[in-house]
Amino acid sequence: MSNEWEVVIGLEIHAQLATKSKIFSGASTAYGAEPNTQTSVVDIALPGVLPVLNKEAVHMAVKFGMAIGAEVSDRSVFDRKNYFYPDLPKGYQISQFELPVVGEGSIDIKLENGDTKTIGVTRAHLEEDAGKSLHEDYAGMTGIDLNRAGTPLLEIVSEPDMRSAKEAVAYMKKIHTLVQYIGICDGNMQEGSFRCDANVSVRPKGQEAFGTRAELKNINSFRFVERAINIEVERQIDLIEDGGEVVQETRLYDSDKNETRSMRSKEEAMDYRYFPDPDLLPVILTEEYRQQVKAELPELPEQKQQRFMDELGLSDYDASVITASLGLASYFEIVAEKTGDAKLSANWITGELSARLNREEIEIDKAAVDAEAFALLLTRIKDNTISGKIAKDVLDAMWNGEGSADEVIESKGLKQITDTGAIEAYVDEVITNNPSQFEELKGGKDKMMGFFVGQVMKMSKGKANPAQVNELIRNKMK
Amino acid sequence: MSNYHTKTVTELSAMLQAGEVSSVELTRYFLDRIKNSDDKLNSFITVCEEQAMVQAKESDEKLKTGNAPALTGVPIAHKDIFCTDGVKTSCGSKMLDSFISPYDATVVTNMRNAGVVMLGKTNMDEFAMGSSNETSFYGAVKNPWNLKAVPGGSSGGSAAAVGARLAPASTGTDTGGSIRQPAAFCGITGLKPTYGRVSRFGMIAFASSLDQAGPMGQSASDCALLLNAMAGFDDKDSTSIEKSVPDYSADLNKPLDGLRIGLPKEYFEHTEGGMNAEVEATIKAALDQYKAMGAELIEIELPNSGLSVPVYYVVAPAECSTNLSRFDGVRYGYRCEDPKDLNDLYTRSRGEAFGAEVQRRIMVGTYALSSGYYDAYYLKAQKLRHLISDDFTKAYEKVDVIMAPATPETAFNIGEKTDDPISMYLSDIYTIAVNLAGIPAMSIPVGFANNSSGVSMPVGMQIIGNHFEEAKLLNVAHQYQQKTDWHKQMPEEFQ
């Protein structure tokens, strides 16, 4: 990217709220059912039906508001957003326009250089999701699946405070973590439970006025957000540098081609004719209710991170990596408690465990080894049953479903040799076989120590206790 | 020869409970009357002969147990705006000609639970948009008092059916006068309850903030019985109000001594489009009757009443324009032949299936809600609505009820106003403010006056109450009906 340009990004995140039923009907919100089996008369907008607000959706929105220290409105109003589309059964979406339930708040993100940056949250409002149009398999026709219609969404709108794709991703991840911590969204991006629109523009560095923005629609992974923004920024800069002008429009990111393309321009932009939905009463929230919701909030990511540092002695880095996911943090807490060694637990979780999760691209809840089993493995390192090196092999075997740490150690005969006599025999053999090297070691060539330890470990198939090996060799040098 | 059609619901209910007549006999009787006479009126869209007979048999079983609710076995008609499970629910529109509802409206459920038998579904203006029942896809309904005249609208089929005694009573809905104006035109008693008193769930929406269902019958006493069954909080309707339902029949016989009746100066002024002289004389005679019964007549002011029609014709079309968006040809109802693409599917399905008046209101409403016009029209109208409502609040500090004509003139002829929507809209000039304020009001028959063609037609007078004072209105109406027999008059042709 050229140095004279500054990137300006704002995100609209759609978090699907984890309510059991829809926002305005009693139908289930469960994912993956046969088309149109999770639809009530309200969801398919039969004549005469009326929406009834699911109070749990409001509760979840308020939780979010309290968690980011935002203003939560005394009175918020549902509006109709009018447009025609086959998967929008009423011909309008019930949303919130002028009076959203959550007002201004903010989120702190960590930049790559370690600095903290505050990103403003303009508002968060409740709305219903639309259904899905299925364009394949219907021979020139379109299939409509209304299972998703009426699923509650919290749309979280940021200020245009982000200055790079990386910042946007950091912000999105932060929100992603938060909504899972407070239990309002399952965060499942593959199923579309957490997705975003990105408003992207560029301006010459130092210029105060924003450039014309393009809105990138419906991006559902962190990787795509970063790529989509970067490719769009590149497109806008190229365009301007070639003497063109960015037009305000909605664009779609095509992840296969890694390009964005125009969906509709501002001229084609719709007039949604927002007006208060006369079928729904304003939502009135008391200060007492807000305080009650605030009191219900669980420990938030930053609080947890601080506690891990203060009480468990984790490094800033380890604590932030572990608390970035509620699942990982809970896993860690079990392992640390069972082993009584937070530091060792943190090292193994941020290291070996995370590496395996990343390799398989899975979340902690899908890990092949649960926290109790993992704790047992670490306990076997602590009680010198196995070395850390052997433990990695044991973990691999456990991961492959070969049993518990003890079972693997037993069946593979990996128990560490701590019998001094047995180790001494190995040491003597190695010295006998390598007399000149031993002379060098005695002569002060410390590097040779590694060679001897390595040879003994090799002979013992890694089972000798390395500390003991070291000690015995030093004794022989005297 | 039995003459069940001369009996009120109150009387029929007593006969059923006493075992003097069975519901099967009564239901058969009214089904036959519909079969024999509705050709003249066109008041029914669907007659539910089979279902009605099944329900009648069930009712007779229940009556035998000796503790059946008051309305058990009484046959009535539902306006075709209420969704009825397994029965066509057209709302008077080609759009829903093929629509068979898979569920019952709460009003229908409540009435059924109260024991009522459904004879069929009555004709109405398309989507309740009209004041003469001429906008129905199923053709105009005729006024039983004169077949050249309109029955009023939009609940014209319900009013005509009861006026001709093809059904002892019916349900209606009132958005700007759609119960009271046809009740007045057909010489029957109709009540629009307080907004929120009767559930709107399953009642096809026209203007959500104004729509309210209510009973249409031969007398105030009948309306009380019907409202007892219809009213009540419904958790399926967020705008329905959680307030206990009194027994509306309990207070009917309270004396009216000292009743303070407010007469809005603005309604009695002689203005263009205002009340005609014969109607005025009839209303004045009714007011004299009240005076004779011990009531006090007090002139009041409703200074913002002139705003009612313009405010209504912004709010109602705005709401209807989005309420009717769901009729898009995608999931149910009418779909055009061979749509070329999505846009074609929408425009032709809606263009071919909505009538002219519905299209007119959708366009007006769409315009009123458009970006750049919203503040000037919809928002302003909502503000003015508060002023209109405040006028009533102030008035009720001085009076118990307000009386006014229901319509400026008696039933006009079919075709007389179809080319002039504005003059059609003005026929609701006295009824609209009540919907904007959300208060209850009745129309009761108080005599006859010549219409513009010189035919003597029924005159309706409105009794308007404060929020949730339905019981008071029914009492005031019932007392008048104890002293007069206008409500017992029947059109000659249907005697």
Side-chain angles (χ1 to χ4, degrees):
Chain A
M1 195 213 311
S2 168
N3 276 333
E4 351 26 303
W5 295 100
E6 182 174 52
V7 178
V8 176
I9 303 159
L11 294 186
E12 291 166 18
I13 292 174
H14 290 89
Q16 181 181 315
L17 297 177
T19 54
K20 288 196 180 68
S21 58
K22 293 186 177 178
I23 185 166
F24 299 118
S25 87
S28 166
T29 53
Y31 179 83
E34 283 296 301
N36 299 311
T37 55
Q38 290 182 347
T39 51
S40 74
V41 292
V42 173
D43 304 314
I44 53 179
L46 283 184
V49 297
L50 296 169
V52 176
L53 178 61
N54 181 344
K55 289 194 175 68
E56 190 50 30
V58 177
H59 180 225
M60 288 181 172
V62 173
K63 259 177 141 176
F64 177 79
M66 299 316 285
I68 64 162
E71 294 167 29
V72 172
S73 311
D74 294 341
R75 181 173 179 277
S76 67
V77 168
F78 284 99
D79 298 278
R80 292 184 183 177
K81 179 180 181 179
N82 294 283
Y83 65 96
F84 284 95
Y85 204 70
D87 58 26
L88 186 73
K90 293 186 292 296
Y92 57 83
Q93 178 194 31
I94 304 178
S95 181
Q96 296 191 301
F97 185 52
E98 272 190 28
L99 300 170
V101 60
V102 176
E104 273 181 50
S106 66
I107 291 272
D108 285 346
I109 59 167
K110 196 121 236 184
L111 302 183
E112 279 181 316
N113 65 9
D115 287 352
T116 297
K117 178 170 177 176
T118 300
I119 307 294
V121 171
T122 317
R123 59 184 281 169
H125 64 256
L126 285 164
E127 61 184 26
E128 58 179 342
D129 209 344
K132 277 181 188 158
S133 294
L134 310 168
H135 297 291
E136 286 156 26
D137 306 332
Y138 294 94
M141 308 271 278
T142 297
I144 305 294
D145 177 8
L146 297 177
N147 282 351
R148 201 180 66 181
T151 299
L153 298 177
L154 186 67
E155 179 173 330
I156 304 158
V157 183
S158 84
E159 290 290 310
D161 285 347
M162 287 151 278
R163 294 291 172 267
S164 70
K166 283 214 159 29
E167 285 184 24
V169 172
Y171 166 81
M172 194 177 173
K173 280 188 171 163
K174 200 74 192 271
I175 302 260
H176 187 245
T177 300
L178 180 64
V179 293
Q180 291 178 79
Y181 262 75
I182 60 177
I184 66 168
C185 174
D186 67 14
N188 190 323
M189 299 176 83
Q190 261 134 23
E191 291 175 5
S193 300
F194 192 85
R195 54 190 197 259
C196 88
D197 302 339
N199 284 297
V200 179
S201 65
V202 297
R203 62 182 172 191
K205 273 210 174 127
Q207 178 183 304
E208 204 162 312
F210 292 130
T212 306
R213 69 173 191 273
E215 186 181 8
L216 307 177
K217 276 286 186 197
N218 248 333
I219 320 175
N220 67 347
S221 89
F222 297 123
R223 199 162 7 125
F224 289 168
V225 167
E226 185 164 354
R227 283 164 59 186
I229 290 172
N230 283 333
I231 205 79
E232 175 60 17
V233 165
E234 213 173 284
R235 185 190 73 87
Q236 291 187 11
I237 292 172
D238 286 350
L239 190 65
I240 298 168
E241 289 183 345
D242 288 348
E245 249 178 52
V246 176
V247 292
Q248 189 175 332
E249 61 184 353
T250 305
R251 297 180 72 86
L252 197 69
Y253 174 65
D254 182 335
S255 56
D256 292 334
K257 294 183 184 156
N258 194 30
E259 64 176 28
T260 68
R261 59 171 178 271
S262 183
M263 279 172 76
R264 57 175 181 266
S265 71
K266 193 189 176 189
E267 286 70 40
E268 298 164 81
M270 291 188 253
D271 177 358
Y272 291 118
R273 289 174 283 121
Y274 280 103
F275 82 110
D277 191 332
D279 289 334
L280 290 161
L281 304 177
V283 179
I284 307 294
L285 301 175
T286 61
E287 181 57 21
E288 191 190 353
Y289 176 76
R290 284 188 290 252
Q291 290 313 319
Q292 184 193 318
V293 174
K294 191 174 181 182
E296 277 169 20
L297 284 178
E299 188 181 32
L300 299 178
E302 277 158 18
Q303 295 165 340
K304 205 182 270 290
Q305 184 182 341
Q306 199 58 49
R307 179 166 62 84
F308 285 179
M309 289 160 67
D310 295 347
E311 293 177 13
L312 302 176
L314 299 199
S315 69
D316 189 347
Y317 175 80
D318 281 354
S320 84
V321 169
I322 289 171
T323 55
S325 143
L326 178 60
L328 203 61
S330 306
Y331 194 102
F332 164 77
E333 288 196 87
I334 295 169
V335 176
E337 204 223 312
K338 298 252 172 203
T339 59
D341 191 336
K343 196 83 187 93
L344 180 73
S345 303
N347 286 342
W348 274 77
I349 286 169
T350 56
E352 294 301 317
L353 181 71
S354 293
R356 283 166 177 77
L357 296 176
N358 290 341
R359 193 166 61 223
E360 296 184 23
E361 295 187 343
I362 54 173
E363 296 296 323
I364 185 70
D365 59 319
K366 299 269 174 4
V369 174
D370 69 21
E372 278 79 10
F374 196 81
L376 180 65
L377 174 69
L378 300 194
T379 304
R380 291 296 168 257
I381 300 174
K382 278 177 70 73
D383 66 13
N384 288 325
T385 307
I386 51 173
S387 67
K389 190 162 178 299
I390 290 286
K392 291 175 192 174
D393 299 335
V394 176
L395 180 57
D396 280 336
M398 290 165 73
W399 203 266
N400 292 334
E402 291 173 33
S404 70
D406 283 348
E407 283 162 357
V408 172
I409 293 165
E410 181 63 34
S411 69
K412 299 202 172 203
L414 297 174
K415 197 161 185 242
Q416 188 160 258
I417 300 165
T418 49
D419 172 7
T420 312
I423 299 173
E424 197 168 3
Y426 289 130
V427 171
D428 288 342
E429 197 178 338
V430 173
I431 292 172
T432 311
N433 293 344
N434 302 285
S436 60
Q437 285 91 336
F438 190 59
E439 286 308 312
E440 284 178 44
L441 177 64
K442 282 206 283 191
K445 200 168 177 191
D446 274 352
K447 270 192 209 154
M448 270 300 156
M449 193 66 187
F451 168 78
F452 279 94
V453 174
Q455 287 298 310
V456 174
M457 293 307 287
K458 201 170 163 188
M459 284 183 76
S460 72
K461 298 200 176 75
K463 291 185 287 182
N465 183 316
Q468 272 178 298
V469 174
N470 252 296
E471 199 188 331
L472 285 166
I473 295 171
R474 290 202 189 281
N475 285 341
K476 299 281 171 194
M477 285 160 62
K478 285 174 190 165
Chain B
M1 177 71 190
S2 42
N3 58 344
Y4 299 130
H5 69 280
T6 63
K7 309 283 184 201
T8 63
V9 167
T10 311
E11 289 162 342
L12 293 174
S13 156
M15 290 167 75
L16 283 160
Q17 296 281 342
E20 291 164 28
V21 63
S22 72
S23 179
V24 165
E25 191 181 354
L26 212 52
T27 302
R28 184 78 266 156
Y29 179 87
F30 281 101
L31 286 170
D32 287 345
R33 254 184 96 74
I34 295 167
K35 205 175 280 175
N36 297 332
S37 305
D38 198 41
D39 287 356
K40 295 179 201 161
L41 295 176
N42 192 29
S43 67
F44 280 84
I45 292 173
T46 305
V47 178
C48 305
E49 187 163 349
E50 260 177 56
Q51 289 103 319
M53 292 313 295
V54 169
Q55 291 180 348
K57 282 197 193 95
E58 286 169 10
S59 300
D60 284 334
E61 291 301 315
K62 240 180 263 165
L63 283 161
K64 275 185 208 151
T65 66
N67 59 354
L71 291 175
T72 306
V74 176
I76 68 146
H78 280 303
K79 185 176 181 180
D80 206 23
I81 200 168
F82 295 103
C83 284
T84 42
D85 194 355
V87 175
K88 172 165 136 176
T89 301
S90 75
C91 219
S93 181
K94 181 179 179 182
M95 182 59 86
L96 292 178
D97 185 44
S98 64
F99 178 66
I100 295 180
S101 174
Y103 78 103
D104 273 332
T106 299
V107 162
V108 173
T109 304
N110 287 352
M111 296 295 257
R112 183 69 205 123
N113 290 342
V116 157
V117 170
M118 178 173 77
L119 292 168
K121 310 287 294 287
T122 57
N123 204 341
M124 56 181 286
D125 278 299
E126 185 180 8
F127 286 106
M129 297 174 201
S131 308
S132 65
N133 223 300
E134 291 166 284
T135 70
S136 170
F137 172 63
Y138 301 93
V141 178
K142 281 135 196 152
N143 191 313
W145 292 91
N146 179 287
L147 298 178
K148 287 196 181 108
V150 302
S154 65
S155 312
S158 288
V162 175
R165 305 298 193 262
L166 304 189
S170 63
T171 54
T173 62
D174 191 318
T175 304
S178 282
I179 286 175
R180 291 159 289 155
Q181 186 252 24
F185 277 11
C186 294
I188 66 165
T189 302
L191 167 63
K192 181 208 95 79
T194 307
Y195 183 79
R197 179 78 284 187
V198 176
S199 169
R200 294 188 296 115
F201 184 78
M203 183 178 124
I204 299 176
F206 161 17
S208 311
S209 73
L210 301 164
D211 296 343
Q212 185 59 204
M216 302 176 81
Q218 298 165 46
S219 67
S221 158
D222 283 8
C223 286
L225 276 177
L226 294 164
L227 187 61
N228 279 340
M230 289 174 90
F233 173 69
D234 179 10
D235 59 15
K236 295 204 222 41
D237 174 2
S238 311
T239 62
S240 94
I241 290 167
E242 206 161 357
K243 190 173 164 70
S244 63
V245 179
D247 177 357
Y248 292 110
S249 303
D251 288 348
L252 290 175
N253 290 314
K254 274 193 184 169
L256 301 186
D257 286 320
L259 179 79
R260 297 168 303 165
I261 299 173
L263 303 176
K265 176 174 114 224
E266 295 79 5
Y267 288 13
F268 290 87
E269 269 167 5
H270 295 266
T271 51
E272 177 83 33
M275 196 172 12
N276 84 14
E278 270 196 66
V279 170
E280 185 174 359
T282 313
I283 298 286
K284 292 226 160 116
L287 294 172
D288 287 343
Q289 174 63 43
Y290 273 105
K291 222 167 153 182
M293 291 158 70
E296 185 190 351
L297 304 181
I298 301 165
E299 188 184 83
I300 57 160
E301 285 181 17
L302 298 173
N304 294 293
S305 62
L307 297 170
S308 298
V309 172
V311 165
Y312 177 86
Y313 279 97
V314 170
V315 173
E319 292 182 7
C320 99
S321 73
T322 97
N323 280 335
L324 268 56
S325 293
R326 69 188 57 197
F327 305 111
D328 56 5
V330 173
R331 296 170 315 290
Y332 53 77
Y334 181 82
R335 180 187 286 189
C336 67
E337 297 272 336
D338 302 321
K340 282 197 294 291
D341 53 29
L342 184 59
N343 205 40
D344 188 44
L345 170 76
Y346 285 149
T347 50
R348 277 203 294 128
S349 297
R350 289 167 66 81
E352 289 165 15
F354 285 143
E357 183 60 29
V358 170
Q359 294 193 27
R360 175 159 35 235
R361 297 201 197 191
I362 290 173
M363 285 189 278
V364 168
T366 302
Y367 181 81
L369 290 177
S370 299
S371 159
Y373 298 98
Y374 174 80
D375 289 0
Y377 293 106
Y378 189 77
L379 203 62
K380 190 164 187 188
Q382 288 294 13
K383 284 178 187 157
L384 296 176
R385 196 173 164 175
H386 286 294
L387 297 181
I388 291 164
S389 185
D390 290 346
D391 282 356
F392 283 105
T393 308
K394 276 186 209 126
Y396 287 116
E397 288 166 7
K398 285 184 238 151
V399 300
D400 301 306
V401 296
I402 292 170
M403 290 190 186
T407 59
E409 54 176 4
T410 53
F412 45 89
N413 276 355
I414 293 170
E416 194 177 322
K417 291 179 194 278
T418 40
D419 294 333
D420 184 359
I422 300 295
S423 123
M424 186 77 90
Y425 296 169
L426 285 173
S427 67
D428 294 329
I429 191 165
Y430 300 128
T431 50
I432 277 173
V434 162
N435 299 78
L436 292 169
I439 52 181
M442 294 184 73
S443 174
I444 58 168
V446 294
F448 290 84
N450 281 344
N451 69 5
S452 52
S453 306
V455 182
S456 177
M457 298 295 282
V459 173
M461 183 173 78
Q462 273 194 101
I463 311 171
I464 305 166
N466 208 347
H467 290 98
F468 296 104
E469 296 206 326
E470 286 84 357
K472 189 183 280 176
L473 297 186
L474 288 160
N475 165 229
V476 170
H478 180 73
Q479 287 306 300
Y480 178 83
Q481 292 180 339
Q482 295 304 102
K483 302 280 184 198
T484 60
D485 67 354
W486 300 113
H487 63 293
K488 290 184 180 157
Q489 309 286 316
M490 254 190 282
E492 231 171 82
E493 204 160 348
F494 296 90
Q495 282 176 358

CSV table of all heavy atoms in Angstrom, one decimal, chain B residues 9-29:
chain,number,residue,atom,x,y,z
B,9,VAL,N,-80.4,-11.9,19.8
B,9,VAL,CA,-79.5,-12.9,20.4
B,9,VAL,C,-79.9,-13.2,21.8
B,9,VAL,O,-79.8,-14.3,22.3
B,9,VAL,CB,-78.0,-12.4,20.2
B,9,VAL,CG1,-77.1,-13.3,21.0
B,9,VAL,CG2,-77.6,-12.4,18.7
B,10,THR,N,-80.2,-12.1,22.5
B,10,THR,CA,-80.6,-12.2,23.9
B,10,THR,C,-81.7,-13.2,24.1
B,10,THR,O,-81.7,-14.1,24.9
B,10,THR,CB,-80.9,-10.8,24.5
B,10,THR,OG1,-79.9,-9.9,24.2
B,10,THR,CG2,-81.1,-10.9,26.0
B,11,GLU,N,-82.7,-13.0,23.2
B,11,GLU,CA,-83.9,-13.9,23.2
B,11,GLU,C,-83.6,-15.3,22.8
B,11,GLU,O,-84.0,-16.3,23.4
B,11,GLU,CB,-85.0,-13.3,22.3
B,11,GLU,CG,-85.7,-12.1,22.9
B,11,GLU,CD,-86.4,-11.2,21.9
B,11,GLU,OE1,-86.2,-11.4,20.6
B,11,GLU,OE2,-87.2,-10.4,22.3
B,12,LEU,N,-82.8,-15.4,21.7
B,12,LEU,CA,-82.5,-16.8,21.2
B,12,LEU,C,-81.7,-17.6,22.2
B,12,LEU,O,-81.8,-18.8,22.4
B,12,LEU,CB,-81.7,-16.7,19.9
B,12,LEU,CG,-82.5,-16.1,18.7
B,12,LEU,CD1,-81.6,-15.9,17.5
B,12,LEU,CD2,-83.6,-17.1,18.3
B,13,SER,N,-80.8,-16.8,22.9
B,13,SER,CA,-79.9,-17.5,23.9
B,13,SER,C,-80.8,-18.0,25.0
B,13,SER,O,-80.6,-19.2,25.5
B,13,SER,CB,-78.9,-16.4,24.4
B,13,SER,OG,-78.5,-16.8,25.7
B,14,ALA,N,-81.8,-17.3,25.4
B,14,ALA,CA,-82.7,-17.7,26.5
B,14,ALA,C,-83.5,-19.0,26.0
B,14,ALA,O,-83.7,-19.9,26.8
B,14,ALA,CB,-83.6,-16.6,26.9
B,15,MET,N,-83.9,-18.9,24.8
B,15,MET,CA,-84.7,-20.0,24.2
B,15,MET,C,-83.8,-21.3,24.2
B,15,MET,O,-84.3,-22.4,24.5
B,15,MET,CB,-85.2,-19.7,22.8
B,15,MET,CG,-86.3,-18.6,22.9
B,15,MET,SD,-86.7,-18.0,21.2
B,15,MET,CE,-87.6,-19.4,20.5
B,16,LEU,N,-82.6,-21.1,23.7
B,16,LEU,CA,-81.7,-22.3,23.6
B,16,LEU,C,-81.4,-22.9,25.0
B,16,LEU,O,-81.5,-24.1,25.2
B,16,LEU,CB,-80.4,-21.9,23.0
B,16,LEU,CG,-80.4,-21.7,21.5
B,16,LEU,CD1,-79.2,-20.8,21.0
B,16,LEU,CD2,-80.3,-23.0,20.8
B,17,GLN,N,-81.2,-22.0,26.0
B,17,GLN,CA,-80.9,-22.4,27.3
B,17,GLN,C,-82.1,-23.2,27.9
B,17,GLN,O,-81.9,-24.1,28.7
B,17,GLN,CB,-80.4,-21.3,28.2
B,17,GLN,CG,-79.1,-20.6,27.8
B,17,GLN,CD,-77.9,-21.3,28.2
B,17,GLN,OE1,-77.9,-22.2,29.1
B,17,GLN,NE2,-76.7,-21.0,27.5
B,18,ALA,N,-83.3,-22.7,27.6
B,18,ALA,CA,-84.5,-23.3,28.1
B,18,ALA,C,-84.9,-24.5,27.3
B,18,ALA,O,-85.9,-25.2,27.7
B,18,ALA,CB,-85.6,-22.2,28.1
B,19,GLY,N,-84.2,-24.8,26.3
B,19,GLY,CA,-84.5,-26.0,25.5
B,19,GLY,C,-85.8,-25.8,24.6
B,19,GLY,O,-86.3,-26.8,24.1
B,20,GLU,N,-86.1,-24.5,24.4
B,20,GLU,CA,-87.3,-24.3,23.5
B,20,GLU,C,-87.0,-24.4,22.0
B,20,GLU,O,-87.9,-24.6,21.2
B,20,GLU,CB,-87.9,-22.8,23.8
B,20,GLU,CG,-88.5,-22.7,25.1
B,20,GLU,CD,-88.6,-21.2,25.5
B,20,GLU,OE1,-88.8,-20.4,24.6
B,20,GLU,OE2,-88.6,-20.9,26.7
B,21,VAL,N,-85.7,-24.3,21.7
B,21,VAL,CA,-85.3,-24.5,20.3
B,21,VAL,C,-83.9,-25.2,20.4
B,21,VAL,O,-83.2,-24.9,21.4
B,21,VAL,CB,-85.3,-23.2,19.5
B,21,VAL,CG1,-84.3,-22.2,20.1
B,21,VAL,CG2,-85.0,-23.4,18.1
B,22,SER,N,-83.6,-26.0,19.4
B,22,SER,CA,-82.2,-26.5,19.4
B,22,SER,C,-81.3,-25.7,18.5
B,22,SER,O,-81.8,-24.9,17.6
B,22,SER,CB,-82.2,-28.0,18.9
B,22,SER,OG,-82.5,-28.0,17.5
B,23,SER,N,-80.0,-25.8,18.7
B,23,SER,CA,-79.1,-25.0,17.8
B,23,SER,C,-79.2,-25.5,16.4
B,23,SER,O,-79.1,-24.8,15.4
B,23,SER,CB,-77.7,-25.1,18.4
B,23,SER,OG,-76.8,-24.4,17.6
B,24,VAL,N,-79.4,-26.8,16.3
B,24,VAL,CA,-79.5,-27.4,14.9
B,24,VAL,C,-80.7,-26.8,14.2
B,24,VAL,O,-80.5,-26.4,13.0
B,24,VAL,CB,-79.6,-29.0,15.0
B,24,VAL,CG1,-80.1,-29.5,13.7
B,24,VAL,CG2,-78.3,-29.6,15.4
B,25,GLU,N,-81.8,-26.7,14.9
B,25,GLU,CA,-83.0,-26.1,14.2
B,25,GLU,C,-82.7,-24.6,13.8
B,25,GLU,O,-83.0,-24.2,12.7
B,25,GLU,CB,-84.1,-26.2,15.2
B,25,GLU,CG,-85.5,-25.9,14.6
B,25,GLU,CD,-86.6,-26.0,15.6
B,25,GLU,OE1,-86.4,-26.4,16.7
B,25,GLU,OE2,-87.8,-25.6,15.2
B,26,LEU,N,-82.1,-23.9,14.8
B,26,LEU,CA,-81.9,-22.5,14.6
B,26,LEU,C,-80.9,-22.3,13.5
B,26,LEU,O,-81.1,-21.4,12.6
B,26,LEU,CB,-81.3,-21.9,15.9
B,26,LEU,CG,-81.6,-20.5,16.3
B,26,LEU,CD1,-83.1,-20.2,16.2
B,26,LEU,CD2,-81.1,-20.3,17.7
B,27,THR,N,-79.8,-23.1,13.5
B,27,THR,CA,-78.8,-22.9,12.5
B,27,THR,C,-79.3,-23.2,11.1
B,27,THR,O,-79.1,-22.5,10.1
B,27,THR,CB,-77.6,-23.8,12.8
B,27,THR,OG1,-77.2,-23.5,14.1
B,27,THR,CG2,-76.5,-23.7,11.8
B,28,ARG,N,-80.1,-24.3,11.0
B,28,ARG,CA,-80.7,-24.7,9.7
B,28,ARG,C,-81.6,-23.5,9.2
B,28,ARG,O,-81.6,-23.2,8.1
B,28,ARG,CB,-81.6,-25.9,10.0
B,28,ARG,CG,-82.3,-26.6,8.8
B,28,ARG,CD,-81.3,-27.4,8.0
B,28,ARG,NE,-80.8,-26.6,6.9
B,28,ARG,CZ,-79.7,-26.8,6.2
B,28,ARG,NH1,-78.9,-27.8,6.6
B,28,ARG,NH2,-79.3,-26.1,5.3
B,29,TYR,N,-82.4,-23.0,10.2
B,29,TYR,CA,-83.3,-21.9,9.9
B,29,TYR,C,-82.6,-20.7,9.2
B,29,TYR,O,-83.0,-20.2,8.2
B,29,TYR,CB,-84.0,-21.4,11.1
B,29,TYR,CG,-85.0,-20.3,10.9
B,29,TYR,CD1,-86.3,-20.6,10.6
B,29,TYR,CD2,-84.6,-19.0,11.2
B,29,TYR,CE1,-87.2,-19.5,10.4
B,29,TYR,CE2,-85.5,-17.9,11.0
B,29,TYR,CZ,-86.8,-18.2,10.6
B,29,TYR,OH,-87.7,-17.2,10.5
